Amino acid sequence: MLATPFSKLMRLSMLNNHLHMTCKTLWELPKTIQLDEKYLLDPNNIHKIDDNTKHRKSRGNIKLVHELYNRLNSLKCTSSSYEEIKELFDKECLEIPNKTHPDVFKYGNSPKVVKYVGQKRTFEFAHKEFSEIAKNLNLVRTDQLGNLSGSRSYYLLGQMAELEQALVRYFVGNLIKNGFQLVSVPDILPRNVVESCGMSTQGERTQVYTLDSEMYGPDLCLSGTSEIALAGYLSNKIKHVKELPLKLCSVSRCYRAETSSIAEERGIFRVHEFTKVEMFIVAHPLQSDLILEEIRTLQELLFESLEIHFQVLDMPPHDLGAPAYRKYDIEAWMPGRNIYGEISSCSNCTDFQSRRLNIQYKNSKGDCDFVHTLNGTACAIPRLLIALTETHQESNGVISIPQVLQKFMNGKKVIERQKKIPQLMLIKNKKNKF
């Protein structure tokens, strides 16, 4: 039965009401953000914060923060300009990035290679890159999708789609064994939750997709990582110190408005949506440095079990973004492209997010303080598929499946050529004539 315009409007109205109620009841953020004013407003810290901001290539301006603060102190709360300046002051405070780990400050503009894991595979035949292998085996489609799902989209077909699910099951299973609780999260989130986690949602360079507010009511965005939803879920929560560290994980679809013209980032290397298994940990402030190393160690063990070669990098200040205090990247060797490509990262955000979202812990004396939040990518599918395919390709064109994944692939040991997938026809859009 064809939907009438009226029924479409009714469904849209119901969707708007549902989204509005969801945001109103589940995403109540703190009315006032409790930033570390003792640190930010100490005149003795201006030079230190300014230096940190410049190293991180942030647009924050601590000198303007102090200027606005001094103006506020000279005004009365009843003054007509007080609220205007207070709003600007709060906005500028939020632009100041997190502190940077002292060791990281020494790196300049280049990351420090922490270690190499595994060996680069030596091929005795002319090895190929991912797109050629996938095309020969009919495993992926990235072309002629403009009228269907747009550029930087893709279809994983048959056994490649099975491999995606095998990776998800393998990584989630191992996270649960290591004390993580699995949480299913929404992918549509209020803008203020996204921004509270340190992601910029506006401007020409934002990677965040925003939903049309005239169509859908609330100010909503598509999530770029489940870390945001997990952090938002814990907003305004107070955990007892005995509950820490709280380890959560999630499988979600991630949406990012990324663009690139670099040849090495062709195909499914940089796409607009992908599946990711994410870790999110809430910790006592004295635990977070150690827990970051534990996350990294777990990532290394899991990637090493896939029999791929990778390097671990301690990232320099300008690569930390706004929220991270320290961040490690893991880059896998992709022999078909002859490059290292990032497949994972983990970050310690200290109290940057918890202050904005009011996530606290209570000690045995009943005193409350802000937790530290950490996150880490367990498995980001597309690039990991590239590394696995290019590393485990064989001379006869098939792909060997790592032993740890075979039980999730119904015992298959190789991925072979599958039946021809029907070609998609390129259809030109025509304007309706009335």
Side-chain angles (χ1 to χ4, degrees), residues 156 249 399 434:
L156 301 180
C249 66
I399 307 165
F434 296 96

Side-chain angles (χ1 to χ4, degrees), residues 318-336:
H318 73 274
D319 272 328
L320 298 181
Y325 173 68
R326 188 174 205 169
K327 180 167 80 82
Y328 293 109
D329 278 4
I330 294 179
E331 296 184 342
W333 178 246
M334 301 175 176

Side-chain angles (χ1 to χ4, degrees), residues 167-182:
L167 286 167
V168 170
R169 292 172 64 191
Y170 175 66
F171 277 86
V172 168
N174 276 281
L175 293 183
I176 292 174
K177 289 178 183 177
N178 280 274
F180 285 82
Q181 300 176 43
L182 183 62

Side-chain angles (χ1 to χ4, degrees), residues 187-327:
D187 295 329
I188 300 177
L189 303 171
R191 185 188 302 277
N192 54 5
V193 174
V194 179
E195 292 182 344
S196 294
C197 287
M199 287 72 174
S200 174
T201 66
Q202 299 178 348
E204 293 181 0
R205 300 185 66 181
T206 181
Q207 295 181 359
V208 177
Y209 283 107
T210 298
L211 273 63
D212 189 337
S213 59
E214 292 185 5
M215 284 284 290
Y216 300 111
D219 201 4
L220 301 170
C221 301
L222 294 181
S223 176
T225 170
S226 58
E227 163 202 345
I228 302 170
L230 292 171
Y233 177 75
L234 294 172
S235 64
N236 288 319
K237 299 281 197 311
I238 300 177
K239 295 293 180 180
H240 194 277
V241 68
K242 292 181 179 179
E243 298 179 80
L244 305 181
L246 175 63
K247 299 181 178 182
L248 306 176
C249 66
S250 184
V251 183
S252 73
R253 201 70 171 166
C254 302
Y255 301 88
R256 300 182 185 181
E258 297 185 294
T259 59
S260 174
S261 58
I262 301 174
E264 289 80 5
E265 297 186 348
R266 61 192 175 277
I268 67 168
F269 186 93
R270 191 174 294 281
V271 289
H272 286 163
E273 58 177 297
F274 58 94
T275 300
K276 181 158 71 85
V277 182
E278 182 76 0
M279 297 175 279
F280 184 77
I281 299 179
V282 170
H284 188 282
L286 297 179
Q287 296 176 316
S288 63
D289 283 337
L290 178 59
I291 288 177
L292 180 64
E293 301 304 316
E294 292 176 354
I295 295 173
R296 196 193 86 197
T297 299
L298 179 57
Q299 289 173 321
E300 292 171 4
L301 290 172
L302 291 173
F303 291 130
E304 186 176 16
S305 71
L306 298 178
E307 304 168 57
I308 58 176
H309 167 64
F310 56 90
Q311 63 180 3
V312 181
L313 306 175
D314 197 357
M315 302 308 289
H318 73 274
D319 272 328
L320 298 181
Y325 173 68
R326 188 174 205 169
K327 180 167 80 82

Side-chain angles (χ1 to χ4, degrees), residues 52-111:
N52 179 56
T53 302
K54 290 176 180 176
H55 272 81
R56 296 177 69 130
K57 299 188 187 315
S58 169
R59 56 188 176 186
N61 188 340
I62 190 61
K63 294 178 181 177
L64 178 57
V65 168
H66 279 256
E67 178 185 325
L68 292 169
Y69 180 67
N70 291 333
R71 288 175 63 184
L72 282 175
N73 285 338
S74 65
L75 295 171
K76 294 183 178 180
C77 294
T78 55
S79 169
S80 59
S81 59
Y82 183 88
E83 286 301 321
E84 181 181 342
I85 296 175
K86 180 65 167 61
E87 183 178 349
L88 184 58
F89 168 76
D90 292 341
K91 181 180 178 181
E92 289 299 324
C93 283
L94 291 173
E95 293 287 348
I96 304 299
N98 199 354
K99 301 172 186 176
T100 304
H101 192 287
D103 291 347
V104 175
F105 242 105
K106 306 171 186 175
Y107 300 160
N109 292 323
S110 300

Side-chain angles (χ1 to χ4, degrees), residues 131 133 154 164 193 195 197 200 237 260 265 287 338 351-352 355-357 362 366 379-381 425 429:
S131 61
I133 300 168
Y154 58 96
E164 174 185 39
V193 174
E195 292 182 344
C197 287
S200 174
K237 299 281 197 311
S260 174
E265 297 186 348
Q287 296 176 316
N338 199 38
D351 61 357
F352 184 91
R355 284 183 174 276
R356 287 159 171 75
L357 292 167
K362 181 184 294 184
C379 171
I381 294 296
M425 300 301 292
N429 290 322

